[in-house]
Amino acid sequence: MATYIVLASFTDQGIRNVKETTKRADAVRSMAGKFGVTAKEFFWTLGSYDVVAIFEAPDDASMTALGLALGAGGNVRTQTLRAFSRDEMNGVLAKLA
């Protein structure tokens, strides 16, 4: 499974309904499963992003489908980063030889 870090910022709609944000995270966890994606962790943060979430997905297409579904909900705008573990990065580096 590939790891993805999602950086999310509340939209106007999302901040108006901010009291529901933890319930929405629970709903995202359930929705992710429908795409074969696992929501590992959610963090509410200070700074440029309001929420940082960590997901595991079998492939980019599954994660992209989840990202589109999140955006369609209208509460957040997201930026998704593919993350590599130390072992995965060592595998990438081995290809440079």
Side-chain angles (χ1 to χ4, degrees):
M1 293 280 253
T3 301
Y4 299 85
I5 298 169
V6 175
L7 308 174
S9 298
F10 292 131
T11 61
D12 289 341
Q13 173 183 307
I15 198 66
R16 275 194 308 272
N17 299 306
V18 73
K19 290 182 180 181
E20 303 297 318
T21 187
T22 55
K23 290 178 185 170
R24 287 195 305 258
D26 293 339
V28 169
R29 189 177 300 279
S30 294
M31 179 175 39
K34 295 176 184 174
F35 295 99
V37 176
T38 302
K40 300 300 279 183
E41 199 73 53
F42 292 92
F43 300 97
W44 285 262
T45 58
L46 301 176
S48 298
Y49 297 96
D50 299 305
V51 179
V52 175
I54 301 170
F55 294 90
E56 287 184 348
D59 51 52
D60 290 345
S62 298
M63 191 62 210
T64 300
L66 174 60
L68 292 170
L70 289 173
N75 292 301
V76 292
R77 298 215 187 294
T78 62
Q79 182 175 0
T80 301
L81 309 169
R82 170 61 166 95
F84 295 88
S85 68
R86 180 183 185 88
D87 288 342
E88 289 171 323
M89 192 62 199
N90 281 332
V92 170
L93 295 173
K95 295 178 185 291
L96 296 176

